[in-house]
Amino acid sequence: MRNAPTILHLDMDAFYASVEQASKPSLRGKAVIVGGLGPRGVVATASYEARIFGVHSAMPMAQARRLAPNAAYLVPRFSIYRDVSERVMGLLRELSPLVEPLSLDEAFVDLEAGGVAWDAESARLVGVKLRSDIRTATGLAGSVGLAASKMVAKIASEQAKPDGMVLIEPGTERALLGPMSVRVLPGVGPATGDHLRRAGIHTVEEIAEAGEDELVRLLGKAHGHALYAMALAHDERPVVAEREAKSVSVEDTYDVDIHDRVRVGLEVQRLADRCVRRLRGAGLSGRTIVLKVRRYDFSTLTRSETLRGPTDDPAVVREAAARLLDGVDTTGGVRLLGVGVSGLADYTQEDLFAQAAGAAGAVEVGGDAEEGELGLAGATVTSEGDGGGVSGGEEGRAEEQPAERRWHAGHDVRHAAYGHGWVQGSGVGRVTVRFETPDSGPGRVRTFRVDDPALDVAEPLPLVSGWGEASAAAQGEAPVVRG
């Protein structure tokens, strides 16, 4: 482990909800919940105001509505989340060539590799400036942890929330970790935590006191050794720069199970086309086509077919996905479908006709697998070890408008007479819009027919004007430093 706190962990506070509050003046300081709004939707992010009521990420949306009935419930807008994330990651890459993104709103940075920090004071100054730069660029708050290892830096950023910074001096890690719950350590989930509690181990210090042999007896050799090392604050993992993409995938979760086999087939074809658009957008092709089916009883099946060469041809992907579907029994109904492409390359197979015609004789078909085993984990370019997030189903429905206009709560619209606004809600042939922009005050609300020709979908507006021009001091934002 290093002798200086030069590993930085950044975590953007309640990211999706914070973006929505920055974008919508009428929601600032209020409970905001972002996620899937259907009967089977889950919470992606809850603002700190919503967390007071007990709402948290991954909670079923129906439960969130019971806990916070008066909160604002919004469908995710992934295009603006990605834009803000790219701006933040750009600031991190100015600090160091070693930036390891974990998700849109979280990353590790090796400050020593960038030559910007070498001791506690220089690291602290980098953290203060970074938080100020992020607020200037995006209007959002990010919490920063600084330590000599990735594990402790991440724990420090959790301690810093919301909107703060914590620096852990080398040599003080065990004193910090000792009284904390075992759940603070990476890899200790509910099951492992319960197992340790039954053995009388509740805190990190009690893990260290139990000794390595006891942990190996309780948890097995690999997990026991690793957990004992973490309890002693030993973490030698390096910061790894951008990881190679492993797959591109999309999926949709349906509010009502699909029983009609013809419709299931049409949905798979639509998902295949969406997947190819993302594949081409990333400048990639792939050899292995993956179909994911979650049935009415929550059993999840994946089927895969490996082609002779990489492709980005929609007809080839559609045909392969259809062949895979032929081998899946959907009689009882389907609640989720997904299509993905793995075995990625930056070139395509030239003889696409021969590839499609000969695919049936040149495939490697995988059997049933647990969800996520083949990386079919979301509607985006994914990397090995990517963190979680909102399912690709929500993203797909949020970003790709069908022929008929659908008014998603929280999404951007423009009216010929009233200008830019966002959808507060829709139903019974009406859509309610609040007209405001990130730099306006709370706007007025008006209701229109859903087919009003003067109303149309719009692109999100930037959260701040003049990217990079303003200063935190000019905005009156003083950095908050704790620890």
Side-chain angles (χ1 to χ4, degrees):
M1 196 161 65
R2 304 173 183 221
N3 57 10
T6 54
I7 300 293
L8 181 148
H9 181 262
L10 171 70
D11 197 343
M12 299 296 291
D13 298 336
F15 184 52
Y16 296 170
S18 294
V19 170
E20 298 299 343
Q21 290 176 318
S23 181
K24 302 171 173 64
S26 59
L27 297 184
R28 293 170 190 169
K30 297 182 180 179
V32 174
I33 298 169
V34 180
L37 303 190
R40 292 171 176 165
V42 297
V43 175
T45 307
S47 69
Y48 283 96
E49 296 86 353
R51 295 179 191 186
I52 293 172
F53 300 99
V55 180
H56 56 78
S57 61
M59 172 182 285
M61 192 61 76
Q63 182 181 356
R65 289 185 184 276
R66 290 193 295 270
L67 293 172
N70 297 319
Y73 288 85
L74 307 177
V75 173
R77 297 184 300 153
F78 284 92
S79 62
I80 190 169
Y81 304 154
R82 280 193 292 265
D83 179 64
V84 175
S85 175
E86 288 169 4
R87 294 180 186 276
V88 172
M89 296 302 168
L91 290 173
L92 298 183
R93 293 186 185 96
E94 291 177 6
L95 298 176
S96 173
L98 292 184
V99 176
E100 183 178 342
L102 303 179
S103 61
L104 289 177
D105 59 342
E106 185 180 2
F108 286 110
V109 186
D110 187 330
L111 301 179
E112 188 175 29
V116 295
W118 48 91
D119 59 13
E121 181 58 19
S122 58
R124 187 188 71 82
L125 293 174
V126 168
V128 170
K129 185 177 185 302
L130 173 64
R131 295 184 62 251
S132 175
D133 289 346
I134 289 173
R135 189 177 290 277
T136 298
T138 68
L140 304 180
S143 293
V144 166
L146 291 155
S149 70
K150 290 169 71 172
M151 181 187 76
V152 180
K154 182 174 174 61
I155 292 171
S157 70
E158 288 292 326
Q159 296 291 304
K161 290 182 178 181
D163 192 16
M165 186 176 81
V166 167
L167 184 149
I168 307 300
E169 291 272 11
T172 68
E173 295 93 349
R174 288 195 62 180
L176 169 76
L177 297 176
M180 292 184 175
S181 165
V182 295
R183 290 290 303 276
V184 77
L185 298 179
V188 181
T192 301
D194 289 342
H195 198 55
L196 291 171
R197 276 194 295 275
R198 286 195 295 271
I201 299 173
H202 301 84
T203 66
V204 175
E205 183 58 35
E206 287 171 346
I207 290 178
E209 291 172 352
E212 189 170 15
D213 291 343
E214 176 66 7
L215 291 172
V216 168
R217 186 187 69 80
L218 289 171
L219 305 174
K221 187 174 182 180
H223 201 178
H225 284 313
L227 197 59
Y228 181 70
M230 288 188 289
L232 299 179
H234 295 164
D235 179 17
E236 301 297 334
R237 294 174 300 158
V239 175
V240 180
E242 294 264 16
R243 292 160 290 181
E244 180 183 359
K246 300 298 180 182
S247 67
V248 175
S249 57
V250 297
E251 63 183 44
D252 272 354
T253 301
Y254 303 99
D255 294 340
V256 178
D257 290 348
I258 303 176
H259 293 84
D260 180 16
R261 181 73 177 190
V262 173
R263 188 188 165 197
V264 171
L266 291 173
E267 287 294 313
V268 168
Q269 299 298 291
R270 182 179 62 82
L271 289 166
D273 287 342
R274 254 175 56 199
C275 184
V276 169
R277 286 198 293 272
R278 292 181 180 276
L279 194 70
R280 289 180 168 179
L284 297 169
S285 62
R287 294 184 66 227
T288 300
I289 314 304
V290 182
L291 175 71
K292 174 179 174 183
V293 180
R294 181 175 298 152
R295 298 185 291 192
Y296 70 99
D297 59 357
F298 286 87
S299 62
T300 302
L301 308 178
T302 57
R303 295 287 189 269
S304 63
E305 175 178 304
T306 299
L307 307 172
R308 289 177 174 175
T311 183
D312 65 353
D313 183 84
V316 174
V317 177
R318 281 197 302 267
E319 290 171 14
R323 285 192 297 271
L324 294 169
L325 180 62
D326 287 341
V328 178
D329 180 11
T330 62
T331 305
V334 170
R335 59 187 291 123
L336 177 148
L337 290 168
V339 174
V341 178
S342 61
L344 302 182
D346 58 2
Y347 65 96
T348 59
Q349 168 67 260
E350 293 181 3
D351 190 0
L352 294 175
F353 178 81
Q355 180 186 83
V363 301
E364 303 164 12
V365 181
D368 293 359
E370 293 296 324
E371 177 183 357
E373 184 175 315
L374 296 178
L376 196 62
T380 184
V381 178
T382 59
S383 299
E384 186 174 34
D386 271 358
V390 182
S391 74
E394 290 304 331
E395 178 177 358
R397 287 194 293 276
E399 289 191 332
E400 299 193 16
Q401 293 289 336
E404 73 275 9
R405 295 193 299 179
R406 297 176 62 190
W407 305 107
H408 298 285
H411 280 220
D412 300 85
V413 296
R414 178 168 289 280
H415 191 276
Y418 301 111
H420 192 94
W422 58 276
V423 176
Q424 279 200 325
S426 62
V428 294
R430 295 285 186 271
V431 55
T432 301
V433 177
R434 184 180 288 274
F435 291 96
E436 60 186 6
T437 64
D439 54 0
S440 73
R444 297 187 63 180
V445 175
R446 297 184 182 274
T447 300
F448 308 91
R449 299 192 320 272
V450 293
D451 59 352
D452 191 324
L455 189 66
D456 205 352
V457 295
E459 292 297 317
L461 297 176
L463 298 187
V464 294
S465 58
W467 152 246
E469 294 178 3
S471 66
Q475 293 184 19
E477 299 289 354
V480 178
V481 181
R482 302 193 189 99

